[in-house]
Amino acid sequence: MQKNLNGKIALIIAILVVFLYGIFGIPHGGLKESITRRIHLGLDLRGGTHIVLQVKTAEAVAASSDNDMVRAQDAVTKLAPGARANKPDPAQPVIVVSGVPQTNMTAVRDALSATQFSAYDLASTSDGYKLTMKLAEVKDLRERTLETSIETIRSRVDSLGVAEPVIQKYGLGEDQILVELPGIDNADHVRDVIQSTARLEIHEVTGGPFNTEQDAQMQLQPDSVLVQGGNALGDQSWWSLKRIAVVQGPDFRDARASQDEAGRPDVSFTLTTGAGDRFYAYTSTNIGKQMAIVLDNKVREVANINGAIRDQGQISGGGFTKQTASDLSLMLRTGSLPASIVFLETHTVGPSLGATSIRQGVIASVVGMMAVMIFMLIYYKGAGINADLALILNLVILLGFMGFTGSTLTLPGIAGVILTIGMGVDSNVLIFERIREEIRVGKNASAAVFGGFDHAWTTILDTHVTTIVSALILFFVGTGPVRGFAVTLMFGLLANLFTAVFVSRVIFDSLLQRKTRGEALSI
Amino acid sequence: MELFRDSNIDWLSKKWLFLGFSLIFSVAGVLSMLFWHHIPVGIDFKGGTQVRVSFPQPPNEEHLRTAMDRAGIHDASIQRLNGANGYEAVITLPETSDSNSDSARATVVKALATNYTDSPSKVEDAYTVGPTAGKQLTRQAGWAILWSLLGMLAYLWFRFEFIYGAAAVIAVFHDTLITIGAFSLTNQEITLTVIAAILTLVGYSMNDTIVVFDRIRENLQLMRRATLSEVVNKSINQTLSRTILTSGLTFLTVLALYLFGGEVLHGFSFALVVGILIGTYSSIAVAAPMLVAYTDWRSSKGKSTGLQTGRKATA
């Protein structure tokens, strides 16, 4: 029976120490703090705000192809003055170039095959060409949009001073983001800041203000778009603006809340060097014209160009409060969102509820565990100690694993723990019942232990593998709560195979070593 | 201490009783799902807004309703409960469109603030789910469970025989159906945590069934002359003390959760209490008899009888 027993015992103790470290780290401070510092509690247990957003990634694709359409127009105008580039459906990334004289077809095709249109598939039509954005490019653009949105939201949330926010891709969809703000139970302000796309652009004004949309449509220039006035200008005005912006979101280097001469809040901005040069060239050649400052597709302000401006400017025109001015400058600093956002779900849990439910849940689980352990001792006498040790070690390993991996414990995770404990108890019961059967048949203690483990092992392996298979599938197919359940269950069952079978066996073996021959086993 | 030593119960002779019992419960549940309470899903799945508020004194339901009416919310359901933080009310608004779900929540909070100036209410929990998110969630949870059942079926097919896997999966499906039926009959809401509990029950029930099946497989090799019914009966009896013990202990744990776990965990622990009972019952009364019924049906058609014993595990 002496199978390297001391080595095995040392291994078990080493594992115990490692996972205890996983739970507590280097202990300092109270027990509770040590645990919660390593194992994050889910929002359902801790309180806070849970938001699921959807990024309208299709908008970014449409906007990108809008820009390409203007570029295509520029390219073909040089070669065939009568040709027009437009998008039959503004939402689809398809650009149709029409009205190209037959003699210029080849030149136009060469222009449209240039690298700047490499994202498109080119097909010829009767009087021109059709550019369709490649599927791979659309997918790529959507992914980039989501990534950028996550980064932008993260920097906004960080600058609002939320501790430990979670901001990540969510679900199986290609366009959802999960935002978790622990400890924040009034998230309205945070949500406003997250949701605003803060797309700030400066455009040349080509006409306006018009009182109605119809008037504006009549006067619309071919290279212009209609934009409605914002609150500060009165909602009923319409402006016709040049489609291509002079200055766009990424051109802003810095922004801060300040005050104008009258002491009203406004926002000062600074442009990047390159954009500053461009802006200087534009303003010095367009003195006397008007430019419009457009925020989130609403005209915020229209200003006359009185002289050349390089890289400093203000957005004023009233309508700011201190709060909105500081919010807007924050958004400009962190960059604009590439597409607009809708809230799919918002869940606010009061922290007191979290604390209560966690206390009750913990008390109930501890009461249940204690009852189970006491019963095992009564029913299996000496062997009950095995089962109880295995159970405790199992929990240590499970929690330690969560501490190491920085997992979050949620209510569904606790469900996983319950199933783990159930199967842990079951493994022990299976083994002990088998050992009892062997003893009844008249085998001696060590043969009974050997036989019992041998028979029970098949069953334990089957039950565990089956459940691990399903946990794996749940992990890959499910989201959120289903996933939390699957993770805990997987860790728990792996720990279980180790504690219920290996550890329990080692304890039996070391007991058998000290017994004199023929002494009965306490089971 | 020992229980159920050498029990010698003829389980299979009671199969009609079991079948009747299972049918009554499943049919009652299904009927309730179809015609009575339907499947009472929480707003997690159907979308809507739910606000939980606590008051220093018991709130008057009429008063609450008037407050909501004044704020222009006419289709709210109001439910009072004694929560951990004093007197609570849960106000649920049905499906809102994705865009104005936030405003619904704000309206409720505002209405309470203006009407309860003397005893300030405190929002404990506010919860908004857009209808599309809810639909997506329902679909995903459904698929997750379905795929994991198929995964288990595949593994059991590989380790035993197809019929073992099929019987186990049918038994688990039967448990899930009856548990959801219990929620429908008692008109309790199925929330996300209840889904987690149902996943737990699937795992538990499967575990229980495999223990019995493993023993059947082993006994088929030991008792070469016995009929399958005898083997199945003996296997159930041999594993009976383990079944009762494990289920009893697990039941003890979830009962503690049900009794002391508080209002928030109520649906969760209710599903587990029902699930453990049904899961244990089904491994004896549904899964094992199904094996016998299948072989009887095979032999009546003149095909080979007696299950093969599958591959012996190598430990």
Side-chain angles (χ1 to χ4, degrees):
Chain A
M1 265 340 321
Q2 171 70 359
K3 282 183 297 191
N4 209 349
L5 211 50
N6 293 338
K8 286 182 183 172
I9 292 172
L11 175 72
I12 291 169
I13 289 171
I15 288 178
L16 181 66
V17 169
V18 166
F19 282 106
L20 273 174
Y21 172 78
I23 301 179
F24 299 113
I26 302 292
H28 52 80
L31 178 78
K32 207 165 146 189
E33 289 86 56
S34 318
I35 294 184
T36 48
R37 206 181 48 243
R38 305 279 301 204
I39 298 171
H40 305 289
L41 296 179
L43 281 188
D44 50 355
L45 299 176
R46 177 158 56 156
T49 298
H50 157 110
I51 301 170
V52 178
L53 316 159
Q54 188 176 28
V55 181
K56 296 282 188 193
T57 49
E59 281 180 14
V61 175
S64 164
S65 60
D66 272 345
N67 286 335
D68 290 331
M69 179 189 90
V70 175
R71 289 217 304 260
Q73 179 71 60
D74 287 350
V76 298
T77 305
K78 287 179 196 136
L79 302 164
R84 306 269 310 122
N86 58 33
K87 286 169 64 181
D89 176 356
Q92 294 297 328
V94 177
I95 301 163
V96 173
V97 176
S98 55
V100 181
Q102 289 303 324
T103 46
N104 304 30
M105 283 293 265
T106 321
V108 169
R109 196 189 62 209
D110 290 342
L112 293 178
S113 324
T115 45
Q116 61 169 335
F117 300 111
S118 60
Y120 290 82
D121 286 323
L122 189 67
S124 48
T125 58
S126 56
D127 65 340
Y129 289 97
K130 186 167 139 189
L131 291 162
T132 311
M133 197 184 282
K134 291 172 178 155
L135 280 181
E137 184 66 26
V138 171
K139 193 166 171 286
D140 197 46
L141 193 57
R142 287 181 164 219
E143 273 166 18
R144 282 206 306 272
T145 307
L146 189 66
E147 294 292 338
T148 317
S149 303
I150 289 177
E151 285 311 311
T152 309
I153 290 171
R154 179 168 295 131
S155 47
R156 287 183 190 178
V157 169
D158 281 347
S159 53
L160 285 169
V162 178
E164 289 183 58
V166 173
I167 296 154
Q168 59 192 49
K169 274 188 207 172
Y170 182 71
L172 300 170
E174 302 294 305
D175 57 0
Q176 292 185 10
I177 300 178
L178 168 71
V179 179
E180 291 197 327
L181 311 167
I184 293 211
D185 55 351
N186 180 4
D188 290 348
H189 175 217
V190 178
R191 286 203 341 224
D192 291 344
V193 169
I194 288 175
Q195 192 170 22
S196 171
T197 42
R199 215 168 45 234
L200 186 74
E201 291 168 340
I202 297 179
H203 289 259
E204 185 179 321
V205 176
T206 53
F210 304 104
N211 289 332
T212 65
E213 200 176 347
Q214 288 80 351
D215 290 352
Q217 287 286 6
M218 307 284 286
Q219 308 270 340
L220 190 59
Q221 308 286 330
D223 61 348
S224 299
V225 284
L226 278 192
V227 182
Q228 205 175 358
N231 292 338
L233 291 167
D235 279 328
Q236 292 313 311
S237 61
W238 290 84
W239 300 79
S240 154
L241 308 177
K242 230 194 189 104
R243 184 190 292 270
I244 299 237
V246 184
V247 176
Q248 285 176 304
D251 297 333
F252 292 93
R253 193 181 63 199
D254 191 19
R256 58 187 186 284
S258 54
Q259 289 180 340
D260 61 8
E261 298 82 6
R264 290 178 307 185
D266 69 356
V267 175
S268 323
F269 62 83
T270 313
L271 298 176
T272 58
T273 323
D277 292 345
R278 255 199 346 251
F279 202 45
Y280 181 80
Y282 170 80
T283 47
S284 50
T285 52
N286 287 291
I287 291 178
K289 287 195 182 161
Q290 287 187 307
M291 6 172 236
I293 293 176
V294 179
L295 177 66
D296 286 344
N297 226 0
K298 285 260 165 67
V299 177
R300 245 216 78 90
E301 190 188 347
V302 175
N304 283 316
I305 303 175
N306 299 326
I309 311 169
R310 189 168 285 280
D311 61 353
Q312 299 276 345
Q314 285 87 31
I315 307 168
S316 50
F320 277 120
T321 62
K322 267 205 161 62
Q323 181 71 60
T324 53
S326 84
D327 281 353
L328 177 61
S329 58
L330 158 73
M331 291 172 209
L332 291 178
R333 278 201 303 274
T334 54
S336 58
L337 283 170
S340 61
I341 276 179
V342 285
F343 284 86
L344 293 184
E345 58 178 279
T346 322
H347 186 178
T348 314
V349 189
S352 57
L353 171 81
T356 326
S357 63
I358 203 173
R359 201 173 47 242
Q360 284 175 323
V362 166
I363 290 173
S365 312
V366 169
V367 167
M369 282 274 296
M370 295 302 278
V372 169
M373 288 167 108
I374 290 167
F375 186 88
M376 291 296 270
L377 283 178
I378 296 170
Y379 195 83
Y380 287 116
K381 299 193 278 293
I385 299 172
N386 276 20
D388 289 357
L389 280 175
L391 218 51
I392 292 168
L393 187 56
N394 186 343
L395 274 184
V396 167
I397 291 180
L398 180 56
L399 289 175
F401 209 106
M402 295 189 81
F404 277 128
T405 52
S407 310
T408 312
L409 187 65
T410 58
L411 271 179
I414 291 178
V417 175
I418 290 176
L419 182 55
T420 302
I421 292 174
M423 285 179 76
V425 171
D426 192 37
S427 308
N428 281 303
V429 172
L430 277 167
I431 294 167
F432 297 167
E433 288 297 311
R434 277 296 194 159
I435 294 177
R436 281 183 175 184
E437 278 182 48
E438 301 284 299
I439 290 174
R440 264 182 238 139
V441 179
K443 292 189 178 170
N444 70 19
S446 67
V449 168
F450 179 80
F453 271 92
D454 192 45
H455 281 301
W457 168 244
T458 317
T459 310
I460 292 172
L461 189 71
D462 274 340
T463 55
H464 281 63
V465 174
T466 311
T467 315
I468 288 172
V469 164
S470 90
L472 271 171
I473 294 173
L474 290 178
F475 180 78
F476 286 113
V477 179
T479 49
V482 172
R483 235 178 184 180
F485 171 82
V487 171
T488 326
L489 187 59
M490 251 181 304
F491 291 167
L493 292 182
L494 291 173
N496 211 0
L497 281 174
F498 172 74
T499 57
V501 181
F502 181 78
V503 176
S504 178
R505 181 68 188 269
V506 169
I507 299 175
F508 268 122
D509 285 348
S510 59
L511 281 175
L512 287 169
Q513 258 198 323
R514 288 191 218 124
K515 281 191 196 303
T516 47
R517 285 189 75 79
E519 204 180 331
L521 203 59
S522 166
I523 187 162
Chain B
M1 170 171 162
E2 283 187 40
L3 301 162
F4 309 103
R5 186 167 170 181
D6 298 332
S7 59
N8 199 358
I9 307 167
D10 184 359
W11 298 94
L12 288 174
S13 64
K14 300 181 178 57
K15 64 178 175 234
W16 297 115
L17 182 76
F18 292 144
L19 188 66
F21 180 84
S22 289
L23 272 178
I24 286 171
F25 276 86
S26 342
V27 169
V30 170
L31 284 177
S32 169
M33 287 184 226
L34 291 174
F35 305 112
W36 193 27
H37 292 138
H38 305 293
I39 301 181
V41 287
I43 61 166
D44 287 326
F45 297 104
K46 64 181 182 216
T49 299
Q50 195 169 57
V51 183
R52 234 165 73 129
V53 251
S54 63
F55 298 88
Q57 295 106 30
N60 176 333
E61 205 164 318
E62 279 306 304
H63 190 160
L64 272 174
R65 202 163 283 292
T66 349
M68 290 301 127
D69 270 342
R70 259 189 243 155
I73 303 169
H74 304 294
D75 45 6
S77 75
I78 296 175
Q79 188 197 357
R80 287 193 312 168
L81 37 103
N82 293 330
N85 311 314
Y87 306 100
E88 292 185 353
V90 176
I91 300 160
T92 312
L93 281 65
E95 193 171 314
T96 48
S97 74
D98 276 328
S99 56
N100 68 7
S101 52
D102 299 339
S103 59
R105 180 174 144 250
T107 319
V108 171
V109 175
K110 235 180 272 167
L112 289 171
T114 50
N115 284 279
Y116 284 86
T117 43
D118 48 339
S119 61
S121 56
K122 184 157 152 285
V123 176
E124 296 290 349
D125 186 18
Y127 194 171
T128 299
V129 180
T132 46
K135 281 200 191 75
Q136 220 173 4
L137 205 66
T138 314
R139 242 200 336 264
Q140 262 170 359
W143 278 114
I145 293 182
L146 201 68
W147 281 113
S148 70
L149 283 179
L150 284 174
M152 295 195 232
L153 177 71
Y155 177 74
L156 290 178
W157 189 358
F158 157 76
R159 286 282 290 164
F160 297 76
E161 298 248 335
F162 178 76
I163 180 62
Y164 284 88
V169 166
I170 290 170
V172 168
F173 183 78
H174 153 277
D175 302 340
T176 315
L177 187 73
I178 288 183
T179 308
I180 294 175
F183 271 79
S184 175
L185 285 167
T186 53
N187 203 12
Q188 293 190 71
E189 276 196 352
I190 293 180
T191 58
L192 272 179
T193 40
V194 172
I195 296 290
I198 287 176
L199 293 173
T200 311
L201 122 83
V202 167
Y204 182 85
S205 172
M206 196 46 106
N207 173 62
D208 224 36
T209 304
I210 293 174
V211 170
V212 176
F213 278 8
D214 242 29
R215 197 68 181 214
I216 292 174
R217 182 173 58 179
E218 190 183 331
N219 284 335
L220 278 172
Q221 289 177 319
L222 296 173
M223 305 160 61
R224 293 271 179 203
R225 296 217 184 81
T227 63
L228 182 63
S229 307
E230 286 165 355
V231 172
V232 170
N233 266 329
K234 186 160 186 206
S235 306
I236 296 177
N237 284 326
Q238 279 175 326
T239 50
L240 190 62
S241 59
R242 165 265 148 202
T243 304
I244 302 281
L245 206 60
T246 298
S247 301
L249 291 176
T250 320
F251 186 73
L252 213 62
T253 318
V254 297
L255 195 66
L257 206 57
Y258 183 69
L259 296 175
F260 314 113
E263 194 72 51
V264 184
L265 293 176
H266 216 269
F268 176 77
S269 45
F270 175 77
L272 283 177
V273 166
V274 174
I276 301 279
L277 288 175
I278 290 288
T280 307
Y281 156 86
S282 77
S283 57
I284 293 177
V286 178
M290 209 170 289
L291 287 181
V292 181
Y294 171 80
T295 10
D296 289 352
W297 173 77
R298 291 270 299 195
S299 60
S300 73
K301 295 190 74 163
K303 292 182 180 150
S304 70
T305 59
L307 286 170
Q308 288 144 25
T309 48
R311 299 175 189 80
K312 180 86 177 84
T314 46

